[in-house]
Amino acid sequence: ANFVQCGQETLSAWKMLKPYVDYLHIKDAKWNGQVVPAGYGDGNVAAIVKDYGLAGGKVMTLEPHLQEFVGLAGLEMEGEKSVVGGIAFENARAAFDCAVNCIRPMME
């Protein structure tokens, strides 16, 4: 998501960084900045996860940010605001479950 939110195409960034990556920290976003479940954005997450696995990568963490959390506004630069969600979740647990369920098929 961070690459997408900065306007950087992810596959070219992955190709450049791949030799230096020890683990993947996964989240996804659309070009408009909206954070979405992994695989639903423009980050090419499925292709990167597959290539990472084929290269022997085994460690991944998940940072879904599918709901606003207390303190998010304090992390933003002045005049900026993250676009979060787009899907209504009953609670944080439901949002995280969705994130996990979206990434699971990419790991098979």
Side-chain angles (χ1 to χ4, degrees):
N2 292 358
F3 285 93
V4 172
Q5 291 170 318
C6 293
Q8 172 63 51
E9 196 283 317
T10 57
L11 292 177
S12 60
W14 169 247
K15 183 177 178 181
M16 181 176 60
L17 295 172
K18 179 179 171 179
Y20 309 102
V21 174
D22 292 325
Y23 70 94
L24 293 181
H25 187 68
I26 299 171
K27 63 182 181 175
D28 203 357
K30 294 187 174 278
W31 289 118
N32 69 1
Q34 181 182 32
V35 178
V36 295
Y40 285 80
D42 297 310
N44 298 299
V45 174
I48 292 169
V49 166
K50 180 178 181 179
D51 194 41
Y52 173 70
L54 291 172
K58 296 185 185 330
V59 179
M60 293 188 289
T61 58
L62 183 61
E63 181 183 356
H65 286 310
L66 298 176
Q67 288 190 310
E68 282 198 39
F69 57 92
V70 175
L72 177 62
L75 298 174
E76 302 299 330
M77 295 182 71
E78 188 173 331
E80 293 185 354
K81 174 147 178 54
S82 291
V83 182
V84 179
I87 303 170
F89 294 100
E90 186 174 320
N91 53 46
R93 177 61 192 230
F96 192 78
D97 287 348
C98 174
V100 168
N101 290 330
C102 288
I103 194 73
R104 233 181 224 142
M106 294 180 212
M107 297 168 40
E108 296 174 351

